[in-house]
Amino acid sequence: MEPAIIEKWPGRTYELTIGATKEEGGSRSKKVKLGGMSTLPFLFFEGTIPNPPAVAMEVWDVEPTDWPDVLKNEYGDVLTDPAKWAKKCEEFGCDLICLRLKSADPDLKNSSADEITKTVKNVLSATSLPLIIVGCGNNEKDSSIIMSISESTKGENCLLGVATKENYKTFTAAALSGGHSIIAETPLDINLEKQLNILITDMGFSSDRIVIHPSTGGLGYGFEYCYTIIERTRLAALSGDKMMSQPIINFIGQETWKTKECKADETEKPEWGALKERGVLWETTTSVGYIQAGSDIIVVNHPSSVKEVRNYIQKLMIK
Amino acid sequence: MFIIGEKINGMFKNVSEAIATKNKLIIQELAKKQLEAGADALDVNVGPASADPLKDMEWLITVIREVTGMPLAVDTTKLAVMEKGLSLAGPGSFLNSTSGQKEKLDLLLPLAKKYNSKVIALTMNKSGVPANAEARLEIAANIVAAAMEHGIETENLYIDAVILPVNVAQDHARAVLETIKQCKLICDPPPKTILGLSNVSQGTLNRPLVDKTFLVMALALGLDAAILNPLDKELMDSMITAELLLGKNIYCDSYLDAYRKK
């Protein structure tokens, strides 16, 4: 039965492609298309949703030390080799690889731009999936390596991140020169979110090549604030606000696997059930919440979460 | 807010000269500049001095159509010129305008229906513009009823409560604001409301200030559209700020810039 109230929205979100095939100057076997929605998530009776949300898996260039064993064990011995790790993720069935260049962190290995680009190139040859490449999270360091990352992946149409209010100029210039898209991150503030998009486009960067990271809060750790921000962003886009119409990314894995719910073992919390299932449930449930809010890319860590989330998306994409 | 740029009007000297000398560049430049400044549609009026309004309207629309496909508001009191204009302007353009007199409505509404045009209707009748809101609303209700009879959707009907110059009819501003507010109660979906803004400041010394103050007041009461000068940057800034304060757009520090990037 058709619902009684159907909204007619004047706007739609930008459609964005990540990855480039050989014919397009890249080396990816497939591309991922995002966005283009003319209604809220999965409301097919109201508008069109040409592309399903995409699921990305993280690959780090250092071995994670604080991951719980239930997560580590899924990867076996590949966690020390980003190229092998990426290949493994491709086998797990994700749409995109999210390469996180942790080793650049001055508090960790403080890897140089040369070392970083070598890793990036190794991962590019190991997997044929489109790439999201994010820095270590240190603004200064990320600004110093982003240009060489961008140059070394020219033509691959990657998604580079993360640009913030502090470093967006360097990131935008880098993304422009390498022909990549960019992640714009703001601290859970819809006004700053819009402002950063304007600042980036003021530099001549196309507004349809930005992906918004409105911040990600884990389930039980701020998820509902993020949900509200994403929902408001989507409503603004559908009302025609072009500075809020960009696809949205959320890093679910990094906010999931540090929670006590995904780490505390069964002897400590017997009433919480099996730890093995708990983490995946937590990551899957959080992802599903973000997808319902309007997120376009979900970045997760556990292979079972990839499977569960994709399964869920498939079911909801049936018109 | 939906903005109809007012600059292509033969009552302005540059336009009447352009029409007389068939200087299409002046007209096309005015069209482009208004659209760049934020106009969603362009008013087209040959002006009172035109010797051959039919030919002049045809020429104006033809040269505008060489540079834009945006909606036009065919602004004339002559039936034949209106029909010619609407046929050339294409679907989605505006019939500007009809009054609330039955004989006018019966002549003009079928034209709007035929050419799939939107309709701007003034809340005035044979005896002119009423001084109070009640009488304006009564005319508006008659217009809505006539539109329904002629098969025109009320969403495509723009009620103009007719603002008179503040220096000759000071009481009217409040009546117009009240009419804008109450127009939304006439039917569901309600008709849109529109103002020919610059009339309010005719003959006053600081026209831009009077214009932008009245526009902001009208927006607060729910005004949907206005015929105005989009090249007046301060007027546009006031409009954008008013819409921001009404919660129609999400705030950011560069909200003026953001609005213009839409």
Short mmCIF file of all heavy atoms in Angstrom, two decimals, chain B residues 64-125:
data_model
loop_
_atom_site.label_atom_id
_atom_site.label_comp_id
_atom_site.label_asym_id
_atom_site.label_seq_id
_atom_site.Cartn_x
_atom_site.Cartn_y
_atom_site.Cartn_z
N ILE B 64 15.78 37.12 -25.75
CA ILE B 64 16.08 36.54 -24.43
C ILE B 64 16.27 35.03 -24.56
O ILE B 64 17.18 34.44 -23.97
CB ILE B 64 14.96 36.86 -23.41
CG1 ILE B 64 14.90 38.36 -23.13
CG2 ILE B 64 15.20 36.11 -22.10
CD1 ILE B 64 13.66 38.80 -22.37
N ARG B 65 15.42 34.41 -25.37
CA ARG B 65 15.49 32.96 -25.53
C ARG B 65 16.80 32.51 -26.21
O ARG B 65 17.16 31.35 -26.15
CB ARG B 65 14.27 32.45 -26.32
CG ARG B 65 13.05 32.24 -25.44
CD ARG B 65 13.20 30.98 -24.58
NE ARG B 65 12.14 30.83 -23.59
CZ ARG B 65 12.27 31.09 -22.30
NH1 ARG B 65 13.43 31.55 -21.84
NH2 ARG B 65 11.30 30.91 -21.44
N GLU B 66 17.49 33.45 -26.85
CA GLU B 66 18.79 33.09 -27.43
C GLU B 66 19.83 32.85 -26.34
O GLU B 66 20.84 32.19 -26.56
CB GLU B 66 19.29 34.22 -28.37
CG GLU B 66 18.55 34.27 -29.69
CD GLU B 66 18.95 35.49 -30.53
OE1 GLU B 66 19.97 36.13 -30.22
OE2 GLU B 66 18.21 35.79 -31.48
N VAL B 67 19.59 33.41 -25.14
CA VAL B 67 20.60 33.25 -24.08
C VAL B 67 20.14 32.46 -22.87
O VAL B 67 20.95 32.00 -22.07
CB VAL B 67 21.15 34.63 -23.59
CG1 VAL B 67 21.96 35.31 -24.68
CG2 VAL B 67 20.03 35.53 -23.07
N THR B 68 18.83 32.27 -22.70
CA THR B 68 18.37 31.48 -21.55
C THR B 68 17.03 30.81 -21.79
O THR B 68 16.18 31.34 -22.52
CB THR B 68 18.26 32.36 -20.27
OG1 THR B 68 17.74 31.55 -19.20
CG2 THR B 68 17.34 33.53 -20.46
N GLY B 69 16.87 29.67 -21.14
CA GLY B 69 15.58 28.96 -21.20
C GLY B 69 14.79 29.13 -19.92
O GLY B 69 13.78 28.46 -19.71
N MET B 70 15.27 30.01 -19.01
CA MET B 70 14.59 30.18 -17.72
C MET B 70 13.18 30.77 -17.93
O MET B 70 12.92 31.44 -18.92
CB MET B 70 15.40 31.12 -16.82
CG MET B 70 16.73 30.52 -16.36
SD MET B 70 16.53 29.07 -15.29
CE MET B 70 16.36 29.89 -13.69
N PRO B 71 12.28 30.55 -16.96
CA PRO B 71 10.91 31.04 -17.11
C PRO B 71 10.86 32.57 -17.26
O PRO B 71 11.67 33.28 -16.69
CB PRO B 71 10.24 30.63 -15.79
CG PRO B 71 11.10 29.58 -15.20
CD PRO B 71 12.47 29.81 -15.71
N LEU B 72 9.88 33.02 -18.03
CA LEU B 72 9.69 34.46 -18.22
C LEU B 72 8.32 34.83 -17.66
O LEU B 72 7.41 34.01 -17.61
CB LEU B 72 9.74 34.81 -19.71
CG LEU B 72 11.03 34.39 -20.44
CD1 LEU B 72 10.94 34.77 -21.92
CD2 LEU B 72 12.26 35.02 -19.80
N ALA B 73 8.19 36.08 -17.21
CA ALA B 73 6.89 36.58 -16.78
C ALA B 73 6.43 37.58 -17.84
O ALA B 73 7.02 38.65 -17.96
CB ALA B 73 6.99 37.23 -15.41
N VAL B 74 5.42 37.18 -18.60
CA VAL B 74 4.95 38.04 -19.68
C VAL B 74 4.06 39.12 -19.08
O VAL B 74 2.97 38.84 -18.58
CB VAL B 74 4.19 37.21 -20.74
CG1 VAL B 74 3.76 38.10 -21.90
CG2 VAL B 74 5.05 36.05 -21.23
N ASP B 75 4.58 40.34 -19.10
CA ASP B 75 3.99 41.44 -18.34
C ASP B 75 3.32 42.42 -19.30
O ASP B 75 4.00 43.25 -19.92
CB ASP B 75 5.13 42.10 -17.54
CG ASP B 75 4.63 43.16 -16.57
OD1 ASP B 75 3.41 43.42 -16.55
OD2 ASP B 75 5.47 43.71 -15.84
N THR B 76 2.00 42.29 -19.44
CA THR B 76 1.28 43.17 -20.35
C THR B 76 -0.20 43.21 -19.94
O THR B 76 -0.69 42.29 -19.28
CB THR B 76 1.40 42.68 -21.81
OG1 THR B 76 0.59 43.52 -22.64
CG2 THR B 76 0.91 41.24 -21.97
N THR B 77 -0.88 44.28 -20.34
CA THR B 77 -2.32 44.34 -20.08
C THR B 77 -3.11 43.99 -21.34
O THR B 77 -4.34 43.92 -21.31
CB THR B 77 -2.71 45.78 -19.65
OG1 THR B 77 -2.17 46.69 -20.61
CG2 THR B 77 -2.16 46.11 -18.27
N LYS B 78 -2.40 43.79 -22.45
CA LYS B 78 -3.09 43.54 -23.72
C LYS B 78 -3.20 42.04 -24.01
O LYS B 78 -2.19 41.32 -23.98
CB LYS B 78 -2.33 44.23 -24.85
CG LYS B 78 -2.30 45.75 -24.69
CD LYS B 78 -1.66 46.43 -25.88
CE LYS B 78 -1.80 47.94 -25.76
NZ LYS B 78 -1.05 48.49 -24.59
N LEU B 79 -4.41 41.62 -24.27
CA LEU B 79 -4.69 40.19 -24.44
C LEU B 79 -3.87 39.56 -25.56
O LEU B 79 -3.27 38.49 -25.40
CB LEU B 79 -6.19 40.01 -24.70
CG LEU B 79 -6.68 38.57 -24.66
CD1 LEU B 79 -6.57 38.01 -23.25
CD2 LEU B 79 -8.13 38.48 -25.15
N ALA B 80 -3.83 40.22 -26.71
CA ALA B 80 -3.13 39.65 -27.87
C ALA B 80 -1.63 39.54 -27.59
O ALA B 80 -0.97 38.56 -27.96
CB ALA B 80 -3.37 40.51 -29.11
N VAL B 81 -1.10 40.56 -26.90
CA VAL B 81 0.33 40.55 -26.56
C VAL B 81 0.60 39.42 -25.56
O VAL B 81 1.61 38.71 -25.66
CB VAL B 81 0.76 41.91 -25.96
CG1 VAL B 81 2.24 41.90 -25.61
CG2 VAL B 81 0.46 43.03 -26.95
N MET B 82 -0.33 39.24 -24.63
CA MET B 82 -0.18 38.17 -23.63
C MET B 82 -0.14 36.81 -24.33
O MET B 82 0.73 35.99 -24.05
CB MET B 82 -1.35 38.23 -22.64
CG MET B 82 -1.25 37.21 -21.51
SD MET B 82 0.22 37.45 -20.49
CE MET B 82 -0.37 38.75 -19.39
N GLU B 83 -1.07 36.59 -25.24
CA GLU B 83 -1.12 35.29 -25.90
C GLU B 83 0.16 35.04 -26.69
O GLU B 83 0.75 33.96 -26.62
CB GLU B 83 -2.35 35.19 -26.81
CG GLU B 83 -2.31 33.95 -27.71
CD GLU B 83 -3.63 33.23 -27.84
OE1 GLU B 83 -4.66 33.90 -27.76
OE2 GLU B 83 -3.61 31.98 -28.01
N LYS B 84 0.58 36.05 -27.43
CA LYS B 84 1.82 35.93 -28.21
C LYS B 84 2.99 35.61 -27.28
O LYS B 84 3.79 34.70 -27.52
CB LYS B 84 2.09 37.26 -28.94
CG LYS B 84 3.24 37.20 -29.91
CD LYS B 84 2.76 36.65 -31.22
CE LYS B 84 3.88 36.16 -32.09
NZ LYS B 84 3.40 35.41 -33.23
N GLY B 85 3.05 36.38 -26.19
CA GLY B 85 4.15 36.24 -25.24
C GLY B 85 4.19 34.85 -24.62
O GLY B 85 5.24 34.20 -24.57
N LEU B 86 3.05 34.39 -24.14
CA LEU B 86 3.01 33.08 -23.48
C LEU B 86 3.36 31.96 -24.46
O LEU B 86 4.05 31.00 -24.11
CB LEU B 86 1.63 32.82 -22.88
CG LEU B 86 1.24 33.70 -21.68
CD1 LEU B 86 -0.16 33.34 -21.18
CD2 LEU B 86 2.25 33.58 -20.54
N SER B 87 2.89 32.11 -25.70
CA SER B 87 3.17 31.06 -26.69
C SER B 87 4.67 30.99 -26.98
O SER B 87 5.22 29.92 -27.18
CB SER B 87 2.37 31.29 -27.97
OG SER B 87 2.92 32.38 -28.68
N LEU B 88 5.34 32.15 -26.96
CA LEU B 88 6.78 32.16 -27.23
C LEU B 88 7.61 31.78 -26.00
O LEU B 88 8.65 31.14 -26.12
CB LEU B 88 7.22 33.55 -27.70
CG LEU B 88 6.75 33.99 -29.08
CD1 LEU B 88 7.01 35.47 -29.28
CD2 LEU B 88 7.44 33.17 -30.16
N ALA B 89 7.12 32.19 -24.83
CA ALA B 89 7.90 31.96 -23.61
C ALA B 89 7.94 30.49 -23.22
O ALA B 89 8.90 30.02 -22.63
CB ALA B 89 7.33 32.78 -22.46
N GLY B 90 6.86 29.76 -23.57
CA GLY B 90 6.86 28.32 -23.30
C GLY B 90 6.29 27.96 -21.94
O GLY B 90 6.06 28.83 -21.10
N PRO B 91 6.06 26.65 -21.70
CA PRO B 91 5.44 26.19 -20.46
C PRO B 91 6.25 26.61 -19.23
O PRO B 91 7.47 26.70 -19.29
CB PRO B 91 5.45 24.67 -20.58
CG PRO B 91 5.82 24.36 -21.99
CD PRO B 91 6.43 25.57 -22.60
N GLY B 92 5.54 26.84 -18.12
CA GLY B 92 6.23 27.21 -16.88
C GLY B 92 6.49 28.69 -16.74
O GLY B 92 7.01 29.14 -15.74
N SER B 93 6.13 29.45 -17.76
CA SER B 93 6.29 30.90 -17.64
C SER B 93 5.10 31.49 -16.90
O SER B 93 4.16 30.78 -16.55
CB SER B 93 6.43 31.52 -19.03
OG SER B 93 7.70 31.18 -19.55
N PHE B 94 5.12 32.79 -16.68
CA PHE B 94 4.08 33.43 -15.88
C PHE B 94 3.22 34.37 -16.72
O PHE B 94 3.74 35.13 -17.54
CB PHE B 94 4.71 34.27 -14.77
CG PHE B 94 5.36 33.46 -13.69
CD1 PHE B 94 6.61 32.89 -13.89
CD2 PHE B 94 4.72 33.26 -12.47
CE1 PHE B 94 7.22 32.14 -12.89
CE2 PHE B 94 5.32 32.52 -11.47
CZ PHE B 94 6.57 31.95 -11.68
N LEU B 95 1.93 34.30 -16.48
CA LEU B 95 1.02 35.30 -17.03
C LEU B 95 1.00 36.44 -16.00
O LEU B 95 0.59 36.26 -14.86
CB LEU B 95 -0.38 34.68 -17.19
CG LEU B 95 -1.52 35.53 -17.75
CD1 LEU B 95 -2.55 34.61 -18.42
CD2 LEU B 95 -2.21 36.40 -16.72
N ASN B 96 1.48 37.62 -16.40
CA ASN B 96 1.61 38.74 -15.47
C ASN B 96 0.92 39.96 -16.06
O ASN B 96 1.51 40.65 -16.87
CB ASN B 96 3.09 39.04 -15.19
CG ASN B 96 3.28 40.10 -14.13
OD1 ASN B 96 2.36 40.40 -13.39
ND2 ASN B 96 4.47 40.69 -14.09
N SER B 97 -0.31 40.22 -15.73
CA SER B 97 -1.09 39.62 -14.66
C SER B 97 -2.58 39.76 -14.98
O SER B 97 -2.95 40.44 -15.93
CB SER B 97 -0.82 40.37 -13.35
OG SER B 97 -1.15 41.75 -13.54
N THR B 98 -3.39 39.16 -14.12
CA THR B 98 -4.82 39.38 -14.20
C THR B 98 -5.26 40.06 -12.91
O THR B 98 -4.58 39.98 -11.90
CB THR B 98 -5.60 38.05 -14.37
OG1 THR B 98 -7.00 38.31 -14.29
CG2 THR B 98 -5.24 37.06 -13.27
N SER B 99 -6.37 40.74 -12.95
CA SER B 99 -6.95 41.27 -11.70
C SER B 99 -8.05 40.30 -11.28
O SER B 99 -8.22 39.24 -11.87
CB SER B 99 -7.50 42.66 -11.93
OG SER B 99 -8.65 42.58 -12.75
N GLY B 100 -8.83 40.69 -10.27
CA GLY B 100 -9.87 39.80 -9.76
C GLY B 100 -11.21 39.96 -10.44
O GLY B 100 -12.19 39.31 -10.07
N GLN B 101 -11.26 40.81 -11.48
CA GLN B 101 -12.54 40.98 -12.17
C GLN B 101 -12.88 39.74 -12.97
O GLN B 101 -12.02 39.20 -13.68
CB GLN B 101 -12.46 42.17 -13.14
CG GLN B 101 -12.54 43.51 -12.45
CD GLN B 101 -11.97 44.59 -13.34
OE1 GLN B 101 -10.82 45.00 -13.16
NE2 GLN B 101 -12.76 45.01 -14.32
N LYS B 102 -14.16 39.34 -12.90
CA LYS B 102 -14.56 38.10 -13.53
C LYS B 102 -14.27 38.10 -15.03
O LYS B 102 -13.74 37.12 -15.56
CB LYS B 102 -16.05 37.85 -13.28
CG LYS B 102 -16.47 36.46 -13.72
CD LYS B 102 -17.87 36.10 -13.29
CE LYS B 102 -18.21 34.66 -13.67
NZ LYS B 102 -17.88 34.25 -15.03
N GLU B 103 -14.58 39.22 -15.68
CA GLU B 103 -14.39 39.23 -17.14
C GLU B 103 -12.91 39.10 -17.52
O GLU B 103 -12.57 38.46 -18.51
CB GLU B 103 -15.03 40.47 -17.78
CG GLU B 103 -14.66 41.82 -17.19
CD GLU B 103 -15.51 42.21 -15.97
OE1 GLU B 103 -16.01 41.32 -15.26
OE2 GLU B 103 -15.66 43.42 -15.72
N LYS B 104 -12.05 39.65 -16.69
CA LYS B 104 -10.60 39.51 -16.94
C LYS B 104 -10.17 38.06 -16.73
O LYS B 104 -9.44 37.47 -17.54
CB LYS B 104 -9.81 40.41 -15.99
CG LYS B 104 -9.69 41.83 -16.46
CD LYS B 104 -8.23 42.25 -16.29
CE LYS B 104 -7.92 43.40 -17.21
NZ LYS B 104 -6.50 43.70 -17.25
N LEU B 105 -10.61 37.50 -15.60
CA LEU B 105 -10.24 36.11 -15.28
C LEU B 105 -10.71 35.17 -16.39
O LEU B 105 -9.99 34.26 -16.80
CB LEU B 105 -10.86 35.70 -13.94
CG LEU B 105 -10.23 36.37 -12.70
CD1 LEU B 105 -11.14 36.19 -11.48
CD2 LEU B 105 -8.84 35.81 -12.42
N ASP B 106 -11.93 35.41 -16.88
CA ASP B 106 -12.48 34.52 -17.92
C ASP B 106 -11.74 34.64 -19.24
O ASP B 106 -11.73 33.71 -20.03
CB ASP B 106 -13.97 34.82 -18.12
CG ASP B 106 -14.79 34.26 -16.95
OD1 ASP B 106 -14.25 33.41 -16.21
OD2 ASP B 106 -15.95 34.69 -16.77
N LEU B 107 -11.11 35.79 -19.45
CA LEU B 107 -10.31 35.95 -20.68
C LEU B 107 -8.91 35.37 -20.53
O LEU B 107 -8.38 34.71 -21.43
CB LEU B 107 -10.18 37.44 -21.01
CG LEU B 107 -11.31 38.11 -21.78
CD1 LEU B 107 -11.02 39.59 -21.93
CD2 LEU B 107 -11.48 37.45 -23.16
N LEU B 108 -8.30 35.64 -19.35
CA LEU B 108 -6.88 35.32 -19.19
C LEU B 108 -6.60 33.90 -18.70
O LEU B 108 -5.63 33.27 -19.14
CB LEU B 108 -6.23 36.35 -18.25
CG LEU B 108 -6.06 37.73 -18.88
CD1 LEU B 108 -5.80 38.79 -17.82
CD2 LEU B 108 -4.94 37.73 -19.92
N LEU B 109 -7.45 33.41 -17.79
CA LEU B 109 -7.17 32.07 -17.25
C LEU B 109 -7.14 30.98 -18.34
O LEU B 109 -6.28 30.10 -18.29
CB LEU B 109 -8.14 31.72 -16.11
CG LEU B 109 -7.97 32.58 -14.84
CD1 LEU B 109 -8.99 32.20 -13.78
CD2 LEU B 109 -6.55 32.46 -14.28
N PRO B 110 -8.04 31.02 -19.31
CA PRO B 110 -7.95 30.02 -20.40
C PRO B 110 -6.62 30.08 -21.15
O PRO B 110 -6.10 29.05 -21.58
CB PRO B 110 -9.13 30.37 -21.31
CG PRO B 110 -10.09 31.09 -20.44
CD PRO B 110 -9.25 31.85 -19.46
N LEU B 111 -6.07 31.29 -21.26
CA LEU B 111 -4.76 31.43 -21.92
C LEU B 111 -3.69 30.71 -21.11
O LEU B 111 -2.84 29.99 -21.65
CB LEU B 111 -4.36 32.91 -22.02
CG LEU B 111 -4.88 33.74 -23.17
CD1 LEU B 111 -4.17 35.09 -23.18
CD2 LEU B 111 -4.65 33.02 -24.50
N ALA B 112 -3.73 30.94 -19.78
CA ALA B 112 -2.75 30.30 -18.90
C ALA B 112 -2.87 28.78 -19.01
O ALA B 112 -1.87 28.06 -19.06
CB ALA B 112 -2.95 30.75 -17.47
N LYS B 113 -4.10 28.32 -19.06
CA LYS B 113 -4.34 26.87 -19.16
C LYS B 113 -3.77 26.36 -20.49
O LYS B 113 -3.07 25.34 -20.53
CB LYS B 113 -5.85 26.62 -19.08
CG LYS B 113 -6.25 25.17 -19.15
CD LYS B 113 -5.96 24.45 -17.85
CE LYS B 113 -6.18 22.94 -18.00
NZ LYS B 113 -5.54 22.19 -16.92
N LYS B 114 -4.08 27.09 -21.56
CA LYS B 114 -3.66 26.67 -22.90
C LYS B 114 -2.14 26.56 -23.00
O LYS B 114 -1.62 25.62 -23.60
CB LYS B 114 -4.20 27.68 -23.92
CG LYS B 114 -3.88 27.33 -25.37
CD LYS B 114 -4.57 28.32 -26.33
CE LYS B 114 -4.12 28.09 -27.76
NZ LYS B 114 -4.59 29.20 -28.64
N TYR B 115 -1.44 27.54 -22.43
CA TYR B 115 0.03 27.55 -22.58
C TYR B 115 0.76 27.01 -21.35
O TYR B 115 1.97 27.14 -21.24
CB TYR B 115 0.50 28.97 -22.91
CG TYR B 115 -0.01 29.42 -24.25
CD1 TYR B 115 -1.06 30.33 -24.36
CD2 TYR B 115 0.53 28.88 -25.43
CE1 TYR B 115 -1.55 30.71 -25.60
CE2 TYR B 115 0.04 29.25 -26.67
CZ TYR B 115 -1.00 30.16 -26.75
OH TYR B 115 -1.48 30.52 -27.99
N ASN B 116 -0.01 26.39 -20.43
CA ASN B 116 0.60 25.78 -19.24
C ASN B 116 1.44 26.80 -18.46
O ASN B 116 2.58 26.52 -18.07
CB ASN B 116 1.45 24.59 -19.69
CG ASN B 116 1.63 23.59 -18.58
OD1 ASN B 116 1.13 23.80 -17.47
ND2 ASN B 116 2.34 22.52 -18.85
N SER B 117 0.85 27.98 -18.27
CA SER B 117 1.58 29.05 -17.58
C SER B 117 1.12 29.16 -16.14
O SER B 117 0.01 28.76 -15.80
CB SER B 117 1.31 30.40 -18.25
OG SER B 117 1.38 30.29 -19.63
N LYS B 118 1.98 29.72 -15.32
CA LYS B 118 1.58 30.10 -13.96
C LYS B 118 0.89 31.46 -14.04
O LYS B 118 1.08 32.19 -15.02
CB LYS B 118 2.80 30.15 -13.06
CG LYS B 118 3.42 28.77 -12.93
CD LYS B 118 4.74 28.76 -12.23
CE LYS B 118 5.24 27.32 -12.15
NZ LYS B 118 6.56 27.22 -11.56
N VAL B 119 0.11 31.78 -13.01
CA VAL B 119 -0.70 33.00 -13.08
C VAL B 119 -0.41 33.94 -11.91
O VAL B 119 -0.43 33.51 -10.76
CB VAL B 119 -2.22 32.64 -13.06
CG1 VAL B 119 -3.06 33.90 -13.04
CG2 VAL B 119 -2.57 31.77 -14.27
N ILE B 120 -0.10 35.17 -12.22
CA ILE B 120 0.00 36.20 -11.19
C ILE B 120 -1.31 36.98 -11.19
O ILE B 120 -1.72 37.50 -12.24
CB ILE B 120 1.19 37.15 -11.45
CG1 ILE B 120 2.50 36.34 -11.41
CG2 ILE B 120 1.21 38.29 -10.43
CD1 ILE B 120 3.73 37.12 -11.84
N ALA B 121 -1.99 37.01 -10.05
CA ALA B 121 -3.31 37.65 -9.98
C ALA B 121 -3.32 38.72 -8.90
O ALA B 121 -2.95 38.47 -7.75
CB ALA B 121 -4.38 36.59 -9.71
N LEU B 122 -3.74 39.91 -9.29
CA LEU B 122 -3.74 41.04 -8.36
C LEU B 122 -5.07 41.10 -7.60
O LEU B 122 -6.13 40.91 -8.19
CB LEU B 122 -3.55 42.36 -9.12
CG LEU B 122 -2.44 42.39 -10.18
CD1 LEU B 122 -2.48 43.72 -10.93
CD2 LEU B 122 -1.08 42.20 -9.52
N THR B 123 -4.98 41.41 -6.30
CA THR B 123 -6.21 41.52 -5.51
C THR B 123 -6.82 42.91 -5.70
O THR B 123 -6.88 43.72 -4.79
CB THR B 123 -5.93 41.30 -4.01
OG1 THR B 123 -4.99 42.29 -3.59
CG2 THR B 123 -5.40 39.92 -3.74
N MET B 124 -7.23 43.15 -6.95
CA MET B 124 -7.93 44.40 -7.22
C MET B 124 -9.08 44.12 -8.18
O MET B 124 -9.09 43.12 -8.88
CB MET B 124 -6.98 45.47 -7.79
CG MET B 124 -6.26 45.08 -9.05
SD MET B 124 -4.99 46.29 -9.48
CE MET B 124 -5.98 47.67 -10.00
N ASN B 125 -10.06 45.00 -8.16
CA ASN B 125 -11.20 44.84 -9.06
C ASN B 125 -11.52 46.18 -9.71
O ASN B 125 -10.70 47.09 -9.68
CB ASN B 125 -12.39 44.26 -8.30
CG ASN B 125 -12.71 45.06 -7.05
OD1 ASN B 125 -12.41 46.25 -7.00
ND2 ASN B 125 -13.30 44.41 -6.07
#
